Structures are given as C-alpha cells and as structure tokens.
Amino acid sequence: MTSGNGQPVSLIQCADLWKVYRLGDVEVQALRGLNLTIEQGEFVAIMGSSGSGKSTLMNMLGCLDQPTKGHYWLNGVDVAALRADELAEIRNRQIGFVFQSFNLIPRTSALENAQLPLFYRGLPLREQRTLAAAALERVGLKGREEHYPTQLSGGQQQRVAIARALVTTPSLLLADEPTGNLDTESSREIMTILDRLNKEEGITVILVTHEPDIAAYAAREIVIKDGQVLTDRRTKPGHPSSLVGR
Amino acid sequence: MPAFLLLTLMTAIRILSRNRLRAGLTMLGIVIGVGAVIAMVSIGEGAKAAVQAQVASMGTNVIIVLPGSTTVSGVRGGQGGAVTLNVSDALEMKKRIPLLQDTGWAKRDVMQIVNGNKNWNGSVNGVSPSYLSIRDWSFTSGGPFTQADLDAAVRVALVGQTVVENLFEAGEEPVGSVIRIKNVPFRVIGVLAPKGQSAQGSDQDDIVFIPFSTAERKVFGTQFIGSVGALFATTERQEDLFAAVDQIREFLRARHRLQAEQGDDFTIRTQVDIGKVQEGTSQTLTVMLLSIAAVSLLVGGIGIMNILLVSVTERTREIGVRMAVGAKRRHILMQFLIEAMTLSVVGGTLGIVVGVVGARLTTLIAGWPTIISGNTVVAAFVFSLVVGLFFGLYPANKAARLNPIDALRYE
C-alpha cells in the first residue's frame, strides 16, 4: 500500500497525538504527544496501568474520538479532520470492535447481532444474513444463529461479538480487554480465534490488556505511561510485512 | 434507504412489543384523544345534518315576511300582532320584483278538528296554493288544492301526519272522508308527507291546510279581509336571496308609505338566517371539541416523549454499540422517530376504532344521529402521525447526539 507520492503507507500512524479533557476545573492530559506506527498485519498488545491513557488511545485508534492536537492517519487518511458521519463510515468499513463486556444488543439473536454493521451499511437483507451466518461459522457458532445473548455462555457471547467485528472484513480489529470477563478456558478460545484471524487472514489486531499471558499472544508489546509510549518491543520474531498486500 | 426504514420499523415493533404494558399505557393518551375526536365529531356532524335537514324542510330559498307589531296605548303587541300585510302585497310583490319566482301567503290559528267521535286541537292554516309548493310539501296520498278551489272558497282540507294519527284509526284512509273544523265540514283531499321537527323544534306535521279564502270567510271570521299571518316568497337561485330581500323591503316600505325616519312595519327572515343561527351553535361546539381533542393529543404526545426519553436512557449503551459499528446520527434519529411514530400511529388507529365504535354505540343507545366522515378519520390519523413525529423529535435527537464513547461507557 502506498500513498500518492509513492511513500509506503502504514495502517496506523500517530504523530504528536494529544488528547486533553476538562473534568470540571481540572484539565486532564490523557495523551501527551504520543507517536506510534503500526503496520498492516501486526498483532499488537497495548499495556499500561489504569489512567495511563491506553483507553483514550484505543478510542482514538477506533475513530470513536478525535485528537485535541496532532495527527492520526488510518490507511493514509487524517482522521482528525473528519466529521462524525465520516468517522461512522470508517468504523463501519475498516474497524471491528471487541469489548470487555461483549456489548451485544440484548434480546436480539446472534445472527442479527452479527448483521448489525451490514445493516448500517445498507446491504440487502439476504446478503446481510448470508455474510453474518458465514462470520458466525468462522468463530465456531454454526447452529447458534437464533440464540439470544442470554442463552449463550460468556465465551460464546464474545465470539458473537468477534463475528460482528469480522462481518465487514475490516483491516483493523480492536479488542479492549476481550478476556476481562471470561474464565481461563474461554479466554484461551477467544485468543486462539484472534491469533488465527491475524495469522491466517492478515487482519491487524490491537489488543488492550493488563494480563501478561494474554499479551503474550501478540508479537509486539507497547506499554503506555502518562499518555506516551514507555516501551515498544517485539516479543516474537517474523515481520508482518510478509502479509501486506495479500 | 427504504430497506433500512422497513427493518427499523420491524425493530421498533419488536422493541415495543417486548414491553407491551408500557407501550399500551403510552399509547392510551393518543387512543383516548383520537377516539374522543372521532366520536364527538361524528355526533356533531350527525346533529348538524339533522339541523340542515330541518332547515331544508322549510323549502328552498324561502323568504318569510312577518307583519310588524301593533302598539296600543304603549303596549306593543309583539311580532305578527299587526295586520300590516295582506294578500295584495303578495300579488303585487310577485308582479314588481322579477327576482321572485313565486309568492304565497298564510294565516294560522289553533282550532278543534273533529272526525266522527275523535277530536284534536291542531294548527289550521289558510294558505294560497303557491304556499304549498314554496314550502315543498309533498303528499303520501291525494294532492293539493288549486287556484280554482281558492277562488271558489271550496271546503277542502289537507292533513298532516300528526293530525291523521289523532283523528283516524290506523289503516283508515283519510282522503275522501269529511272532517269538521269549527263545525264547518271539510272534505280531505290530501295527506301530507311527514317533515318532522322544524328548526325551532315544533312539530311540522301537526297541521291542516285549507284554502285561504275558505279560512277567511268560513272559519277564522277575520276582521280585516285580506290580512295575512305571513307572506312567503322564493327565488330561483340562492345567490339572489339577499338581493330579493332588499327589493322586498324597498317595495313594502314604499307601498306602506313609510317615511325615512320610520322603522319597517314588517320583519323579513330567510332560511339562510335561520340556518346561520344553527350553524353558529354547532361551530362553537366544534371549536370546543377540537380544543379538547388538541389537549388530549398534547397530553398523549407528552406521554410518548416521556417514555422515549426513558427508553433512550435505558438503551444508551446499545446506542453506543450501534454507533461503534457504524450507525450514523440519522440512523439513530430515525430509529427513535420511527418508534415514536409507531406508538402514535398504532394509538391513533386504535383510537379511530374506539371512536367509530363509540359513535355507533351512541346512535344505538341514545338514538342520536352520528355521521363518521372519512375526512375526520384521515385527519385524526395524520394528526396522530404528526404528534408522534413532533414529540419523538426531541428524544430521538437526544439519542442521535450522544457521544459514542460516553454512550459505550454508560452504566
């Protein structure tokens, strides 16, 4: 993937990223000039204590929020300049979210939950159903299409959430403590799925966690502190660029 | 977009049917509001139609001229007390005023009417044959008397339904029989078709018509020959009615040699004036009903707004998830607007059913005439849709303006 002037374009490029909140009279600097580059196909774990700014960074990377200052290029597009509806469009087409608390729509079947992004994309109903069913099958939930979230275990619910994130074939999967509410066995299942999606389908996975054994699935570990990158190290060999342009 | 709207509608219906009691109670305001409007307007329309039928029963484009009052030693005799109008006024009026299609005259008194061993006190009217056509009287059997009967002062009578009921046995044919009015025998030559109540509420069928000349000479014993109780005139077209009234006034003033400073010694009324009084009453009623309806729809709308605000708060996280997976503001806006409109439209439809049933029951139980007009039903439906749209807008906008991060974190 290259930009207009022939320079290779990274999937994610953050330059001097600032986010400043006002909480009453107090000014909170959640991000303080953060710089970060992530290539297509990487599997990255972001770690850090609470209040380090890692959640703010995830919101920013997920186009749920915009920086106060600085630039965030996603696939070469400067997100800081976009309007709310354009951000929604990017979230719909390029990003899949997996949350700690699953965040499925209650009293709505697994299939319909997985369909949701396609519904907002405006695809015909038949196509929505076909794609959503295929996504559920990819996370091993074939036959559970009509189950409601309450009829599924935590691990299964999280798999529905992954199917919902996958259904749009995004280039980026953001998982915010995806195993935080799960037991060890379910956690392992979820991480295996994320790992497989990264290795076999080349989807870039960014994972926020504070559990080292979960972070160990990733090939790169970034520690955030006080709104800046503290350490950034490769924990597994191999370069993801072999998957670029696949 | 249409597919989106359809699916959103289906989602809205599903969400609302999950909480049937809540949705039902929310709709109740609209149901009652629309139901009340439909029922009340139906009753109002029914009453209006009944009044219009009464006014129409007077005849078409009728002008009535009544004599003025007498003043004897300062005591005024009241309307119609004087004998300022007579037959020649009517005949001259017809000759001089081309707008008038026909003129007629009448004089009435309440008298005892006898048939065999039965008697009845009813309104006996001496009239010109033209009067019958002006007032649109028709016959169930027999027919009217003629100018020749009038000229010869023949003793013939036409009887109304109420008189027939009181003087004749059921099934007995009145035409051909002889009745006595003030001991003078009259041959019945026609039975009048019923007209029911007049616009003033009197029984128009309690009536006997006899030729004016016969009444004058043989029954009433009139002091001033030719004086009448009322003059009647009719125009061909309704537009000419008021011009005709002005011309009649001018003509009668000249004929009665009234000076400019003197008031009229007669009163002119038209069918339109009488209709207007009734219309005014029903208009006041309609305005009142519509204000009540507006208030109840307002209350219903506020109910919808309230429950939607609760719903937005309850589903804040869901809204956040929808935004995260790519819902735009207009998608969220539409979702809640459609929910609001579903509530109000279903409520409105139920209200229409309630209103129609209510109107039918009113007719059935109280016997009041009701008319359910399609316009009212359509207006009620559209209005409930608008109420949903209007009161849904604020909560829907509130939902659409949520920040996705805050919405996702909402506990």
Side-chain angles (χ1 to χ4, degrees), chain A residues 21 55 59 64-65 84-86 88-89 91-92 95 97 99 101 103-108 112 116-117 119-120 123 125 128 164, chain B residues 3-4 7-8 10-11 14 18-19 317-332 335 403-405 408-409:
Chain A
Y21 297 107
S55 292
N59 289 336
L64 289 166
D65 203 356
D85 275 0
E86 292 170 319
E89 187 83 29
R91 290 196 296 271
N92 186 259
I95 304 169
F97 289 96
F99 302 95
S101 50
N103 275 338
L104 298 180
I105 309 278
R107 285 178 278 194
T108 303
E112 283 172 297
L116 202 59
F119 169 62
Y120 288 118
L123 287 189
L125 186 60
Q128 287 180 29
R164 180 177 68 193
Chain B
F4 169 77
L7 286 172
T8 308
M10 280 161 54
T11 310
R14 199 171 53 192
R18 261 185 220 154
N19 225 325
R317 243 183 127 91
E318 179 191 321
I319 295 165
V321 174
R322 288 178 184 273
M323 285 176 158
V325 302
K328 292 176 182 166
R329 280 189 173 158
R330 65 161 189 275
H331 291 132
I332 304 292
Q335 185 183 342
N403 178 332
I405 304 167
L408 273 171
R409 275 208 209 111

Coordinates of all heavy atoms in Angstrom, one line a residue, chain A residues 21 55 59 64-65 84-86 88-89 91-92 95 97 99 101 103-108 112 116-117 119-120 123 125 128 164, chain B residues 3-4 7-8 10-11 14 18-19 317-332 335 403-405 408-409:
Chain A
Y21 N -8.8 16.5 28.2 CA -10.2 16.6 28.7 C -10.3 17.7 29.7 O -9.3 18.0 30.4 CB -10.6 15.3 29.4 CG -10.6 14.1 28.5 CD1 -9.7 13.1 28.7 CD2 -11.7 13.9 27.6 CE1 -9.7 12.0 28.0 CE2 -11.7 12.8 26.9 CZ -10.7 11.8 27.0 OH -10.7 10.7 26.3
S55 N -6.8 3.6 27.2 CA -8.2 3.6 26.8 C -8.5 4.7 25.8 O -9.1 4.6 24.8 CB -9.2 3.7 27.9 OG -9.1 2.5 28.7
N59 N -9.7 4.5 22.0 CA -10.9 5.2 21.4 C -10.4 6.0 20.2 O -11.2 6.1 19.2 CB -11.4 6.2 22.4 CG -12.2 5.5 23.5 OD1 -12.6 4.3 23.3 ND2 -12.3 6.1 24.7
L64 N -13.5 6.5 17.5 CA -14.6 6.9 18.3 C -14.4 8.3 18.9 O -15.3 8.9 19.4 CB -14.8 5.9 19.5 CG -15.3 4.5 19.1 CD1 -15.0 3.5 20.3 CD2 -16.7 4.5 18.7
D65 N -13.2 8.7 18.8 CA -12.8 10.0 19.4 C -11.8 10.7 18.5 O -11.2 10.0 17.7 CB -12.2 9.8 20.8 CG -12.3 11.0 21.7 OD1 -12.8 12.1 21.2 OD2 -11.9 10.9 22.9
A84 N -18.4 13.6 12.1 CA -18.9 12.5 12.9 C -19.4 11.4 11.9 O -19.2 10.2 12.2 CB -20.1 12.9 13.8
D85 N -20.2 11.8 10.9 CA -20.7 10.8 10.0 C -19.6 10.1 9.2 O -19.7 8.9 8.9 CB -21.7 11.4 9.0 CG -23.1 11.5 9.7 OD1 -23.2 11.0 10.8 OD2 -24.0 11.9 9.0
E86 N -18.5 10.8 8.9 CA -17.4 10.2 8.1 C -16.7 9.2 9.1 O -16.2 8.2 8.6 CB -16.5 11.3 7.6 CG -17.1 12.1 6.6 CD -16.3 13.4 6.2 OE1 -15.7 14.0 7.1 OE2 -16.2 13.7 5.0
A88 N -18.1 7.5 11.4 CA -19.0 6.4 11.5 C -18.8 5.5 10.3 O -18.8 4.2 10.4 CB -20.5 6.8 11.5
E89 N -18.6 6.1 9.1 CA -18.4 5.3 7.9 C -17.1 4.5 8.0 O -17.0 3.3 7.6 CB -18.3 6.3 6.7 CG -18.2 5.7 5.3 CD -19.6 5.3 4.8 OE1 -20.6 6.0 5.2 OE2 -19.7 4.4 4.0
R91 N -15.6 3.5 10.8 CA -15.8 2.5 11.8 C -16.5 1.3 11.1 O -16.2 0.2 11.4 CB -16.6 3.0 13.0 CG -15.9 4.0 13.9 CD -16.6 4.1 15.2 NE -17.9 4.7 15.1 CZ -18.2 6.0 15.2 NH1 -17.2 6.9 15.3 NH2 -19.4 6.4 15.1
N92 N -17.5 1.7 10.3 CA -18.3 0.6 9.7 C -17.5 -0.2 8.7 O -17.7 -1.4 8.6 CB -19.5 1.3 9.0 CG -20.5 0.3 8.4 OD1 -20.4 0.0 7.2 ND2 -21.3 -0.3 9.3
I95 N -13.0 -0.9 10.7 CA -12.7 -1.3 12.1 C -13.7 -2.2 12.7 O -14.9 -2.1 12.5 CB -12.6 0.0 12.9 CG1 -11.5 1.0 12.3 CG2 -12.2 -0.4 14.4 CD1 -11.5 2.3 13.0
F97 N -14.8 -3.9 16.4 CA -14.6 -3.7 17.9 C -15.0 -5.0 18.6 O -16.0 -5.6 18.4 CB -15.5 -2.6 18.4 CG -15.0 -1.2 18.0 CD1 -15.6 -0.6 16.9 CD2 -14.1 -0.5 18.7 CE1 -15.3 0.6 16.5 CE2 -13.7 0.7 18.3 CZ -14.3 1.3 17.2
F99 N -15.4 -5.8 22.8 CA -15.3 -5.1 24.1 C -15.2 -6.1 25.2 O -15.6 -7.3 25.0 CB -16.6 -4.3 24.3 CG -16.8 -3.2 23.2 CD1 -17.7 -3.5 22.1 CD2 -16.2 -2.0 23.3 CE1 -17.9 -2.6 21.2 CE2 -16.5 -1.0 22.3 CZ -17.3 -1.3 21.2
S101 N -17.1 -6.2 27.8 CA -18.4 -6.6 28.3 C -19.3 -7.0 27.1 O -20.5 -6.9 27.2 CB -19.1 -5.5 29.1 OG -19.0 -4.3 28.3
N103 N -21.0 -6.3 24.8 CA -21.9 -5.3 24.2 C -22.7 -5.8 23.1 O -22.8 -5.2 22.0 CB -21.0 -4.1 23.8 CG -20.8 -3.1 24.9 OD1 -21.5 -3.1 25.9 ND2 -19.7 -2.3 24.8
L104 N -23.3 -6.9 23.3 CA -24.3 -7.4 22.3 C -25.6 -6.7 22.5 O -25.9 -6.2 23.6 CB -24.5 -8.9 22.4 CG -23.2 -9.7 22.1 CD1 -23.6 -11.2 22.2 CD2 -22.7 -9.5 20.7
I105 N -26.4 -6.5 21.5 CA -27.7 -5.9 21.6 C -28.6 -7.0 22.3 O -28.8 -8.1 21.8 CB -28.4 -5.5 20.3 CG1 -27.4 -4.7 19.4 CG2 -29.7 -4.8 20.5 CD1 -27.3 -3.3 19.8
P106 N -29.2 -6.6 23.5 CA -30.0 -7.6 24.2 C -31.2 -8.0 23.5 O -31.8 -7.3 22.7 CB -30.3 -6.9 25.5 CG -30.2 -5.4 25.2 CD -29.2 -5.3 24.1
R107 N -31.7 -9.2 23.8 CA -32.9 -9.8 23.2 C -32.9 -9.7 21.7 O -33.9 -9.4 21.1 CB -34.1 -9.1 23.8 CG -34.4 -9.6 25.2 CD -35.6 -8.9 25.9 NE -35.2 -7.6 26.4 CZ -35.9 -6.9 27.2 NH1 -37.1 -7.3 27.6 NH2 -35.5 -5.7 27.7
T108 N -31.8 -9.9 21.1 CA -31.6 -9.9 19.7 C -30.7 -11.1 19.3 O -29.7 -11.3 20.0 CB -31.0 -8.6 19.2 OG1 -31.7 -7.5 19.7 CG2 -30.8 -8.5 17.7
E112 N -28.6 -11.7 14.2 CA -29.0 -10.2 14.0 C -27.9 -9.3 14.6 O -27.6 -8.3 14.0 CB -30.3 -9.9 14.6 CG -31.5 -10.4 13.7 CD -32.8 -10.3 14.4 OE1 -33.0 -10.9 15.4 OE2 -33.6 -9.5 13.9
L116 N -25.5 -6.5 12.3 CA -25.7 -5.1 12.6 C -24.8 -4.1 11.7 O -25.4 -3.1 11.2 CB -25.4 -4.8 14.1 CG -26.1 -3.5 14.7 CD1 -27.6 -3.5 14.5 CD2 -25.7 -3.4 16.1
P117 N -23.5 -4.3 11.6 CA -22.7 -3.4 10.8 C -23.2 -3.3 9.3 O -23.2 -2.3 8.7 CB -21.3 -3.9 10.9 CG -21.3 -4.8 12.1 CD -22.7 -5.3 12.2
F119 N -26.2 -3.9 8.3 CA -27.5 -3.2 8.3 C -27.3 -1.7 8.1 O -27.9 -1.1 7.3 CB -28.2 -3.5 9.6 CG -29.4 -2.7 9.9 CD1 -30.5 -2.7 9.1 CD2 -29.4 -1.8 11.1 CE1 -31.6 -2.0 9.4 CE2 -30.5 -1.1 11.4 CZ -31.6 -1.1 10.5
Y120 N -26.3 -1.2 8.9 CA -26.0 0.3 8.7 C -25.3 0.6 7.4 O -25.2 1.7 7.0 CB -25.2 0.8 9.9 CG -26.1 0.8 11.2 CD1 -25.9 0.1 12.3 CD2 -27.3 1.6 11.1 CE1 -26.7 0.1 13.4 CE2 -28.1 1.7 12.2 CZ -27.8 0.9 13.4 OH -28.7 1.0 14.4
L123 N -26.8 -2.9 3.2 CA -26.8 -4.1 2.2 C -28.2 -4.7 2.2 O -28.9 -4.6 3.2 CB -25.8 -5.1 2.7 CG -24.3 -4.9 2.6 CD1 -23.5 -6.1 2.9 CD2 -24.0 -4.4 1.1
L125 N -31.1 -7.4 2.7 CA -31.2 -8.2 3.9 C -30.7 -9.6 3.7 O -30.0 -10.2 4.5 CB -32.7 -8.3 4.2 CG -33.1 -9.1 5.5 CD1 -32.4 -8.4 6.7 CD2 -34.6 -9.1 5.7
Q128 N -27.0 -9.6 4.0 CA -26.6 -9.4 5.4 C -26.6 -10.7 6.1 O -25.7 -11.1 6.9 CB -27.7 -8.5 6.1 CG -27.6 -7.0 5.8 CD -28.7 -6.2 6.5 OE1 -29.0 -6.6 7.6 NE2 -29.1 -5.1 5.9
R164 N -19.4 -10.2 14.8 CA -19.9 -8.9 14.4 C -18.8 -8.0 13.9 O -19.0 -7.2 13.0 CB -20.6 -8.3 15.6 CG -21.2 -6.9 15.3 CD -21.9 -6.3 16.5 NE -21.0 -6.0 17.6 CZ -21.4 -5.8 18.9 NH1 -22.7 -5.8 19.2 NH2 -20.5 -5.5 19.8
Chain B
A3 N -35.2 -0.1 2.5 CA -34.9 -1.3 3.2 C -34.6 -1.0 4.7 O -35.0 -1.7 5.6 CB -33.8 -2.1 2.6
F4 N -33.8 0.1 4.9 CA -33.4 0.5 6.2 C -34.6 0.9 7.0 O -34.8 0.4 8.2 CB -32.4 1.7 6.1 CG -32.2 2.3 7.5 CD1 -31.3 1.7 8.4 CD2 -32.8 3.5 7.8 CE1 -31.2 2.3 9.6 CE2 -32.6 4.1 9.0 CZ -31.8 3.5 9.9
L7 N -36.7 -2.2 8.0 CA -36.0 -3.0 9.0 C -36.1 -2.3 10.3 O -36.3 -2.9 11.4 CB -34.6 -3.3 8.7 CG -34.4 -4.4 7.6 CD1 -33.0 -4.5 7.1 CD2 -34.9 -5.7 8.1
T8 N -35.9 -1.0 10.3 CA -36.0 -0.2 11.5 C -37.4 -0.2 12.1 O -37.6 -0.3 13.3 CB -35.7 1.3 11.2 OG1 -34.4 1.3 10.6 CG2 -35.5 2.1 12.5
M10 N -39.5 -2.7 11.7 CA -39.6 -4.1 12.3 C -39.0 -4.1 13.7 O -39.5 -4.7 14.6 CB -39.0 -5.1 11.4 CG -40.0 -5.5 10.2 SD -39.1 -6.3 8.8 CE -38.3 -7.6 9.7
T11 N -37.8 -3.5 13.7 CA -37.1 -3.5 15.0 C -37.9 -2.7 16.1 O -38.1 -3.1 17.2 CB -35.7 -2.8 14.8 OG1 -35.1 -3.3 13.8 CG2 -34.9 -2.9 16.1
R14 N -40.7 -4.7 17.3 CA -40.2 -5.8 18.2 C -39.9 -5.2 19.6 O -40.3 -5.8 20.6 CB -39.0 -6.5 17.6 CG -38.8 -7.8 18.2 CD -37.7 -8.6 17.5 NE -36.5 -7.8 17.4 CZ -35.5 -8.1 16.6 NH1 -35.6 -9.2 15.8 NH2 -34.4 -7.4 16.5
R18 N -42.0 -6.0 23.2 CA -41.3 -6.6 24.3 C -41.9 -6.1 25.6 O -41.9 -6.7 26.6 CB -39.9 -6.2 24.3 CG -39.0 -7.2 23.7 CD -37.6 -6.7 23.9 NE -36.8 -7.0 22.8 CZ -35.7 -6.3 22.4 NH1 -35.4 -5.2 23.1 NH2 -35.0 -6.6 21.4
N19 N -42.3 -4.8 25.5 CA -42.8 -4.1 26.7 C -44.2 -3.7 26.5 O -44.5 -2.5 26.4 CB -41.9 -2.9 27.0 CG -41.6 -2.9 28.5 OD1 -42.4 -3.2 29.3 ND2 -40.4 -2.4 28.8
R317 N -26.3 2.4 26.2 CA -25.2 1.5 25.8 C -25.4 0.9 24.4 O -24.5 0.9 23.6 CB -25.1 0.4 26.8 CG -23.8 0.4 27.6 CD -23.8 -0.8 28.5 NE -22.6 -1.6 28.3 CZ -21.5 -1.5 28.9 NH1 -21.4 -0.5 29.9 NH2 -20.5 -2.2 28.7
E318 N -26.6 0.5 24.2 CA -27.0 0.0 22.9 C -26.8 1.0 21.8 O -26.2 0.7 20.7 CB -28.5 -0.5 22.9 CG -28.9 -1.0 21.6 CD -30.4 -1.2 21.5 OE1 -31.0 -1.6 22.5 OE2 -31.0 -0.9 20.5
I319 N -27.1 2.2 22.1 CA -26.9 3.3 21.1 C -25.4 3.4 20.8 O -25.0 3.6 19.7 CB -27.5 4.6 21.6 CG1 -29.0 4.5 21.7 CG2 -27.1 5.8 20.7 CD1 -29.7 5.6 22.5
G320 N -24.6 3.4 21.9 CA -23.1 3.4 21.8 C -22.6 2.3 20.9 O -21.8 2.5 20.0
V321 N -23.1 1.1 21.1 CA -22.7 -0.1 20.3 C -23.1 0.2 18.8 O -22.2 0.0 17.9 CB -23.3 -1.4 20.8 CG1 -23.0 -2.5 19.9 CG2 -22.9 -1.7 22.2
R322 N -24.3 0.6 18.6 CA -24.7 0.9 17.3 C -23.8 1.9 16.6 O -23.5 1.8 15.4 CB -26.2 1.3 17.2 CG -27.2 0.2 17.6 CD -28.6 0.6 17.6 NE -29.5 -0.4 18.0 CZ -30.0 -1.3 17.2 NH1 -29.8 -1.2 15.9 NH2 -30.8 -2.3 17.6
M323 N -23.5 2.9 17.3 CA -22.6 4.0 16.8 C -21.2 3.4 16.5 O -20.6 3.7 15.4 CB -22.5 5.1 17.7 CG -23.8 6.0 17.7 SD -23.6 7.3 19.0 CE -24.8 8.5 18.3
A324 N -20.7 2.5 17.4 CA -19.4 2.0 17.2 C -19.3 1.1 16.0 O -18.3 1.1 15.3 CB -19.0 1.1 18.4
V325 N -20.4 0.4 15.6 CA -20.3 -0.4 14.4 C -20.8 0.3 13.2 O -20.9 -0.3 12.1 CB -21.2 -1.7 14.6 CG1 -20.7 -2.5 15.8 CG2 -22.7 -1.4 14.6
G326 N -21.0 1.6 13.3 CA -21.1 2.4 12.1 C -22.5 3.1 11.9 O -22.7 3.6 10.8
A327 N -23.3 3.1 12.9 CA -24.6 3.8 12.8 C -24.3 5.3 12.7 O -23.5 5.8 13.5 CB -25.5 3.5 13.9
K328 N -24.9 6.0 11.7 CA -24.7 7.4 11.7 C -25.8 8.1 12.5 O -26.8 7.4 12.9 CB -24.8 7.9 10.2 CG -23.6 7.4 9.4 CD -23.7 7.8 8.0 CE -22.4 7.2 7.3 NZ -22.6 7.1 5.9
R329 N -25.7 9.4 12.7 CA -26.6 10.1 13.5 C -28.1 9.9 13.0 O -29.0 9.7 13.8 CB -26.3 11.6 13.6 CG -25.2 11.8 14.6 CD -25.0 13.3 14.8 NE -24.1 13.4 16.0 CZ -23.3 14.5 16.2 NH1 -23.4 15.5 15.4 NH2 -22.5 14.5 17.2
R330 N -28.2 10.0 11.7 CA -29.5 9.9 11.1 C -30.1 8.5 11.3 O -31.3 8.4 11.5 CB -29.6 10.3 9.6 CG -28.8 9.4 8.7 CD -29.3 9.6 7.3 NE -28.7 8.5 6.5 CZ -27.5 8.6 5.9 NH1 -26.7 9.7 6.1 NH2 -27.0 7.7 5.2
H331 N -29.3 7.5 11.4 CA -29.8 6.1 11.7 C -30.4 6.1 13.1 O -31.5 5.5 13.2 CB -28.7 5.1 11.6 CG -28.1 4.9 10.2 ND1 -26.8 4.9 9.9 CD2 -28.8 4.7 9.0 CE1 -26.6 4.7 8.6 NE2 -27.8 4.6 8.0
I332 N -29.7 6.6 14.1 CA -30.2 6.6 15.4 C -31.5 7.5 15.5 O -32.5 7.1 16.1 CB -29.1 7.1 16.4 CG1 -27.8 6.3 16.3 CG2 -29.6 7.1 17.8 CD1 -27.9 4.9 16.7
Q335 N -34.4 5.7 14.1 CA -34.8 4.5 14.9 C -35.8 5.0 16.0 O -36.9 4.4 16.1 CB -33.6 3.9 15.5 CG -34.0 2.6 16.3 CD -32.8 2.0 17.0 OE1 -31.7 2.3 16.7 NE2 -33.1 1.1 18.0
N403 N -22.5 11.1 22.5 CA -21.1 10.8 22.1 C -20.9 9.3 22.2 O -21.2 8.7 23.3 CB -20.2 11.6 23.1 CG -18.7 11.4 22.9 OD1 -18.3 10.3 22.4 ND2 -18.0 12.3 23.2
P404 N -20.3 8.6 21.2 CA -20.2 7.2 21.2 C -19.4 6.7 22.4 O -19.8 5.6 23.0 CB -19.5 6.8 19.9 CG -19.2 8.1 19.2 CD -19.9 9.2 19.9
I405 N -18.4 7.4 22.8 CA -17.6 6.9 24.0 C -18.4 6.9 25.2 O -18.4 5.9 26.0 CB -16.3 7.7 24.1 CG1 -15.5 7.7 22.8 CG2 -15.5 7.2 25.3 CD1 -14.4 8.8 22.8
L408 N -21.0 4.3 25.2 CA -20.5 2.9 25.5 C -20.1 2.7 26.9 O -20.2 1.6 27.4 CB -19.2 2.7 24.6 CG -19.5 2.2 23.2 CD1 -18.2 2.3 22.4 CD2 -20.0 0.8 23.2
R409 N -19.7 3.7 27.6 CA -19.3 3.6 29.0 C -20.4 3.7 30.0 O -20.3 3.4 31.1 CB -18.3 4.7 29.3 CG -16.9 4.4 28.9 CD -15.9 5.1 29.8 NE -14.7 5.3 29.0 CZ -14.3 6.5 28.7 NH1 -15.0 7.6 29.0 NH2 -13.2 6.6 28.0

